Amino acid sequence: MNQKTTTSSPFSSKLKDYKELTKFTLSFTVVFTCVICYLLAPNVVDYNWKMILLLFAAGMLITGSANAINQAVEKDTDAVMKRTASRPVAAGRMTQQEAYIFALLAGIIGVVMMWYFFNLSSAIISAFSLFLYAFIYTPLKKISSIAVLVGAFPGALPCLIGWVAGQDDFSAGGWILFGIQFIWQFPHFWAIAWVSHTDYSKAGFKLLPTDKGPTKFTALQALMYSVLMLPIGILPNYITPPIAGQISMWVLIAANLFMVWQCAKLYKEMDVKAARRVMFSSYIYLPIVYLALLADKL
């Protein structure tokens, strides 16, 4: 009996490699927050799908560029970690030169799109965010755990980029949205670093607050930052003009209390299972919070 086998075409295989190179799912999440923050800007009252799609495309190009540089730089370290060994550059399916060329073209096109279709300020922040992530945060991960602090800036700047793209200024609303995502990243990153500690240590990454690995101090830090999310979460309702109303404020309070609870359980239980719960809780936190703010504005 003949057994039918199917193989991917060279085009589909290459397309899959580029999807992995840009870390598509991560990029999509980052750009999602950027687009929501654009829609939250008071000046954006007409939800023009053309502008939304242009912002999404520019954001994916810029974020994809940063991730491509990250994978090109970390080719050797990715190769020794189980969860990243199959990435296209680490696995040898794509050369570093190809990744760098893609990153250069995608980054330039994305930044120019931000300038042409939106404004110069959003383009400048976009370029700065790309530079900070690719050339400061990426190499710093092997030097010091301060990399998490540095990485939190480009991680949160998409919120400010979206706001500035819609509002064309650096008003309080944009900084509050930036602050929500900035503080959120600490329990999020430390939970990931806790779960993947063995892999990260093998690659020489220093992403936990102490070089002794997952400790009570790490759990306490995650808990402290989750508590800091509480006062920041009510600010969107109290600035003038407010970003949103009372309903989203209570959603944010509930989401923040849930994060505090998960981090408190991590401090109590001190195991990978609890860290994984913090990690997954942080993943669902952002869409709940930002969609609640947008729904309240609408």
Side-chain angles (χ1 to χ4, degrees):
M1 182 182 292
N2 291 329
Q3 185 176 5
K4 187 177 180 179
T5 58
T6 57
T7 57
S8 300
S9 68
F11 175 77
S12 62
S13 295
K14 180 58 72 173
L15 195 62
K16 183 180 178 182
D17 281 344
Y18 274 105
K19 184 179 177 182
E20 289 186 48
L21 182 70
T22 60
K23 301 180 187 176
F24 182 85
T25 303
L26 173 63
S27 295
F28 185 91
T29 303
V30 170
V31 177
F32 165 81
T33 61
C34 178
V35 170
I36 296 296
C37 292
Y38 166 78
L39 295 174
L40 286 171
N43 283 353
V44 180
V45 292
D46 178 19
Y47 298 123
N48 186 323
W49 279 103
K50 176 186 174 183
M51 300 307 294
I52 292 171
L53 291 173
L54 284 168
L55 179 60
F56 181 82
M60 288 298 288
L61 286 167
I62 294 165
T63 309
S65 172
N67 287 327
I69 295 171
N70 174 271
Q71 289 189 46
V73 170
E74 295 181 348
K75 175 179 74 73
D76 295 331
T77 50
D78 278 350
V80 301
M81 293 193 295
K82 184 178 179 180
R83 72 183 190 88
T84 57
S86 64
R87 287 176 176 174
V89 183
R93 298 190 307 274
M94 183 183 294
T95 65
Q96 281 181 303
Q97 183 181 22
E98 182 180 349
Y100 280 129
I101 291 172
F102 168 81
L104 178 64
L105 292 174
I108 290 173
I109 294 170
V111 171
V112 169
M113 285 177 68
M114 291 300 302
W115 182 12
Y116 184 80
F117 291 109
F118 297 95
N119 49 62
L120 179 60
S121 296
S122 62
I124 291 173
I125 313 170
S126 298
F128 174 69
S129 179
L130 193 164
F131 173 80
L132 194 58
Y133 181 88
F135 299 107
I136 306 297
Y137 164 71
T138 293
L140 195 58
K141 287 193 290 183
K142 284 192 168 186
I143 299 172
S144 169
S145 61
I146 200 172
V148 174
L149 172 63
V150 174
F153 284 94
L157 279 174
C159 297
L160 187 61
I161 293 167
W163 179 274
V164 172
Q167 196 68 9
D168 200 14
D169 67 25
F170 291 87
S171 49
W175 289 109
I176 290 170
L177 295 170
F178 168 88
I180 290 172
Q181 194 148 316
F182 182 82
I183 299 297
W184 163 86
Q185 287 177 92
F186 291 94
H188 170 73
F189 279 147
W190 287 328
I192 293 174
W194 190 306
V195 171
S196 303
H197 177 64
T198 302
D199 248 5
Y200 283 156
S201 297
K202 191 187 303 182
F205 290 147
K206 300 176 181 179
L207 296 175
L208 290 173
T210 170
D211 58 6
K212 296 179 181 178
T215 62
K216 280 281 188 182
F217 180 73
T218 298
L220 180 61
Q221 290 289 300
L223 178 58
M224 288 170 57
Y225 277 92
S226 67
V227 170
L228 279 176
M229 291 161 64
L230 284 165
I232 295 175
I234 66 172
L235 290 178
N237 186 247
Y238 285 99
I239 61 170
T240 304
I243 296 174
Q246 291 284 329
I247 295 174
S248 60
M249 183 186 75
W250 289 111
V251 172
L252 263 69
I253 289 173
N256 290 338
L257 286 172
F258 183 71
M259 284 296 299
V260 171
W261 178 51
Q262 293 296 343
C263 290
K265 289 180 72 174
L266 174 63
Y267 182 78
K268 179 182 178 182
E269 297 171 12
M270 290 294 297
D271 58 20
V272 172
K273 185 178 178 181
R276 190 172 283 112
R277 285 199 299 266
V278 174
M279 181 179 73
F280 284 116
S281 298
S282 68
Y283 281 134
I284 64 173
Y285 174 89
L286 286 185
I288 288 174
V289 163
Y290 283 111
L291 288 175
L293 287 169
L294 182 60
D296 212 5
K297 179 188 175 184
L298 296 176

Short mmCIF file of all heavy atoms in Angstrom, two decimals, residues 221-249:
data_model
loop_
_atom_site.label_atom_id
_atom_site.label_comp_id
_atom_site.label_asym_id
_atom_site.label_seq_id
_atom_site.Cartn_x
_atom_site.Cartn_y
_atom_site.Cartn_z
N GLN A 221 9.68 40.63 44.88
CA GLN A 221 9.75 41.70 43.88
C GLN A 221 8.54 41.66 42.96
O GLN A 221 7.93 42.69 42.65
CB GLN A 221 11.04 41.56 43.05
CG GLN A 221 12.31 41.87 43.81
CD GLN A 221 12.44 43.34 44.12
OE1 GLN A 221 12.49 44.18 43.24
NE2 GLN A 221 12.49 43.67 45.40
N ALA A 222 8.18 40.46 42.49
CA ALA A 222 7.01 40.32 41.63
C ALA A 222 5.74 40.79 42.36
O ALA A 222 4.90 41.48 41.77
CB ALA A 222 6.85 38.87 41.19
N LEU A 223 5.63 40.45 43.63
CA LEU A 223 4.47 40.86 44.42
C LEU A 223 4.43 42.38 44.60
O LEU A 223 3.37 43.00 44.47
CB LEU A 223 4.51 40.17 45.80
CG LEU A 223 3.39 40.51 46.78
CD1 LEU A 223 2.03 40.19 46.20
CD2 LEU A 223 3.60 39.77 48.11
N MET A 224 5.57 42.98 44.87
CA MET A 224 5.63 44.43 45.07
C MET A 224 5.20 45.18 43.81
O MET A 224 4.43 46.15 43.88
CB MET A 224 7.05 44.85 45.48
CG MET A 224 7.43 44.46 46.90
SD MET A 224 9.20 44.72 47.25
CE MET A 224 9.37 46.46 46.90
N TYR A 225 5.69 44.73 42.67
CA TYR A 225 5.32 45.41 41.42
C TYR A 225 3.85 45.18 41.07
O TYR A 225 3.20 46.07 40.50
CB TYR A 225 6.22 44.96 40.28
CG TYR A 225 7.53 45.71 40.24
CD1 TYR A 225 8.66 45.23 40.90
CD2 TYR A 225 7.64 46.91 39.56
CE1 TYR A 225 9.86 45.92 40.89
CE2 TYR A 225 8.84 47.62 39.53
CZ TYR A 225 9.95 47.12 40.20
OH TYR A 225 11.12 47.82 40.19
N SER A 226 3.32 44.01 41.41
CA SER A 226 1.89 43.78 41.16
C SER A 226 1.03 44.70 42.02
O SER A 226 -0.03 45.16 41.60
CB SER A 226 1.53 42.31 41.39
OG SER A 226 1.64 41.95 42.76
N VAL A 227 1.49 44.99 43.25
CA VAL A 227 0.78 45.93 44.12
C VAL A 227 0.85 47.34 43.54
O VAL A 227 -0.12 48.10 43.60
CB VAL A 227 1.37 45.89 45.55
CG1 VAL A 227 0.81 47.03 46.41
CG2 VAL A 227 1.07 44.54 46.21
N LEU A 228 2.00 47.70 42.96
CA LEU A 228 2.14 49.02 42.34
C LEU A 228 1.17 49.22 41.17
O LEU A 228 0.81 50.35 40.83
CB LEU A 228 3.57 49.20 41.82
CG LEU A 228 4.65 49.60 42.82
CD1 LEU A 228 6.00 49.65 42.15
CD2 LEU A 228 4.32 50.95 43.45
N MET A 229 0.73 48.12 40.57
CA MET A 229 -0.22 48.22 39.47
C MET A 229 -1.58 48.74 39.92
O MET A 229 -2.34 49.28 39.12
CB MET A 229 -0.39 46.85 38.80
CG MET A 229 0.86 46.40 38.03
SD MET A 229 0.90 44.61 37.72
CE MET A 229 -0.53 44.41 36.66
N LEU A 230 -1.90 48.60 41.21
CA LEU A 230 -3.22 49.01 41.72
C LEU A 230 -3.47 50.52 41.59
O LEU A 230 -4.47 50.92 41.01
CB LEU A 230 -3.39 48.55 43.17
CG LEU A 230 -3.68 47.06 43.35
CD1 LEU A 230 -3.47 46.64 44.80
CD2 LEU A 230 -5.11 46.76 42.92
N PRO A 231 -2.58 51.39 42.13
CA PRO A 231 -2.86 52.83 41.99
C PRO A 231 -2.79 53.31 40.54
O PRO A 231 -3.55 54.20 40.15
CB PRO A 231 -1.77 53.49 42.85
CG PRO A 231 -0.69 52.47 42.97
CD PRO A 231 -1.38 51.15 42.96
N ILE A 232 -1.88 52.74 39.75
CA ILE A 232 -1.79 53.15 38.35
C ILE A 232 -3.07 52.79 37.60
O ILE A 232 -3.52 53.51 36.70
CB ILE A 232 -0.56 52.52 37.68
CG1 ILE A 232 0.72 53.05 38.32
CG2 ILE A 232 -0.53 52.81 36.18
CD1 ILE A 232 1.98 52.40 37.83
N GLY A 233 -3.70 51.69 38.00
CA GLY A 233 -4.90 51.21 37.32
C GLY A 233 -6.10 52.12 37.45
O GLY A 233 -7.02 52.05 36.61
N ILE A 234 -6.13 52.99 38.48
CA ILE A 234 -7.28 53.88 38.63
C ILE A 234 -7.05 55.25 37.98
O ILE A 234 -7.99 56.03 37.84
CB ILE A 234 -7.66 54.06 40.12
CG1 ILE A 234 -6.55 54.80 40.88
CG2 ILE A 234 -7.97 52.72 40.76
CD1 ILE A 234 -6.94 55.18 42.30
N LEU A 235 -5.82 55.51 37.57
CA LEU A 235 -5.50 56.83 37.00
C LEU A 235 -6.25 57.15 35.70
O LEU A 235 -6.59 58.32 35.49
CB LEU A 235 -3.99 56.95 36.77
CG LEU A 235 -3.12 57.06 38.03
CD1 LEU A 235 -1.65 57.13 37.67
CD2 LEU A 235 -3.53 58.27 38.86
N PRO A 236 -6.51 56.18 34.81
CA PRO A 236 -7.23 56.55 33.58
C PRO A 236 -8.57 57.23 33.83
O PRO A 236 -9.06 57.98 32.98
CB PRO A 236 -7.42 55.20 32.88
CG PRO A 236 -6.29 54.37 33.35
CD PRO A 236 -6.08 54.77 34.78
N ASN A 237 -9.15 56.98 35.00
CA ASN A 237 -10.46 57.55 35.31
C ASN A 237 -10.36 58.94 35.95
O ASN A 237 -11.36 59.67 36.00
CB ASN A 237 -11.21 56.60 36.25
CG ASN A 237 -12.64 57.04 36.51
OD1 ASN A 237 -12.98 57.41 37.63
ND2 ASN A 237 -13.47 57.02 35.49
N TYR A 238 -9.15 59.33 36.39
CA TYR A 238 -9.04 60.55 37.18
C TYR A 238 -8.27 61.68 36.51
O TYR A 238 -8.14 62.76 37.10
CB TYR A 238 -8.42 60.23 38.55
CG TYR A 238 -9.41 59.55 39.47
CD1 TYR A 238 -9.41 58.17 39.63
CD2 TYR A 238 -10.37 60.29 40.14
CE1 TYR A 238 -10.33 57.54 40.44
CE2 TYR A 238 -11.31 59.67 40.97
CZ TYR A 238 -11.28 58.29 41.11
OH TYR A 238 -12.20 57.67 41.92
N ILE A 239 -7.76 61.46 35.30
CA ILE A 239 -7.12 62.56 34.60
C ILE A 239 -8.19 63.38 33.90
O ILE A 239 -9.33 62.97 33.78
CB ILE A 239 -6.06 62.07 33.59
CG1 ILE A 239 -6.70 61.18 32.51
CG2 ILE A 239 -4.94 61.35 34.30
CD1 ILE A 239 -5.77 60.88 31.37
N THR A 240 -7.81 64.56 33.41
CA THR A 240 -8.74 65.43 32.69
C THR A 240 -8.23 65.68 31.28
O THR A 240 -7.15 66.24 31.12
CB THR A 240 -8.90 66.78 33.43
OG1 THR A 240 -9.32 66.51 34.79
CG2 THR A 240 -9.94 67.64 32.75
N PRO A 241 -8.99 65.29 30.24
CA PRO A 241 -10.23 64.50 30.33
C PRO A 241 -9.90 63.05 30.64
O PRO A 241 -8.82 62.56 30.30
CB PRO A 241 -10.83 64.64 28.93
CG PRO A 241 -9.64 64.79 28.04
CD PRO A 241 -8.63 65.59 28.83
N PRO A 242 -10.81 62.31 31.28
CA PRO A 242 -10.54 60.90 31.58
C PRO A 242 -10.44 60.06 30.33
O PRO A 242 -11.08 60.37 29.32
CB PRO A 242 -11.75 60.50 32.44
CG PRO A 242 -12.84 61.46 32.05
CD PRO A 242 -12.14 62.74 31.73
N ILE A 243 -9.62 59.01 30.38
CA ILE A 243 -9.50 58.11 29.23
C ILE A 243 -10.77 57.27 29.10
O ILE A 243 -11.26 57.03 28.00
CB ILE A 243 -8.28 57.17 29.41
CG1 ILE A 243 -6.98 57.99 29.42
CG2 ILE A 243 -8.23 56.13 28.29
CD1 ILE A 243 -5.74 57.17 29.73
N ALA A 244 -11.31 56.84 30.23
CA ALA A 244 -12.51 56.02 30.22
C ALA A 244 -13.28 56.28 31.51
O ALA A 244 -12.96 57.20 32.27
CB ALA A 244 -12.14 54.55 30.06
N GLY A 245 -14.29 55.45 31.78
CA GLY A 245 -15.17 55.71 32.91
C GLY A 245 -15.05 54.74 34.07
O GLY A 245 -14.06 54.00 34.19
N GLN A 246 -16.10 54.72 34.90
CA GLN A 246 -16.10 53.93 36.13
C GLN A 246 -16.05 52.43 35.89
O GLN A 246 -15.42 51.69 36.64
CB GLN A 246 -17.36 54.27 36.94
CG GLN A 246 -17.37 55.68 37.53
CD GLN A 246 -16.47 55.80 38.74
OE1 GLN A 246 -16.29 54.84 39.50
NE2 GLN A 246 -15.89 56.97 38.95
N ILE A 247 -16.73 51.97 34.85
CA ILE A 247 -16.81 50.53 34.62
C ILE A 247 -15.42 49.94 34.40
O ILE A 247 -15.03 48.95 35.01
CB ILE A 247 -17.73 50.21 33.42
CG1 ILE A 247 -19.17 50.63 33.73
CG2 ILE A 247 -17.67 48.72 33.07
CD1 ILE A 247 -20.12 50.48 32.56
N SER A 248 -14.65 50.56 33.50
CA SER A 248 -13.30 50.05 33.22
C SER A 248 -12.40 50.17 34.44
O SER A 248 -11.51 49.34 34.66
CB SER A 248 -12.68 50.78 32.03
OG SER A 248 -12.58 52.17 32.30
N MET A 249 -12.64 51.20 35.27
CA MET A 249 -11.82 51.35 36.47
C MET A 249 -11.98 50.14 37.38
O MET A 249 -11.00 49.59 37.89
CB MET A 249 -12.21 52.62 37.22
CG MET A 249 -11.34 52.88 38.46
SD MET A 249 -11.90 54.28 39.46
CE MET A 249 -13.34 53.56 40.26
#
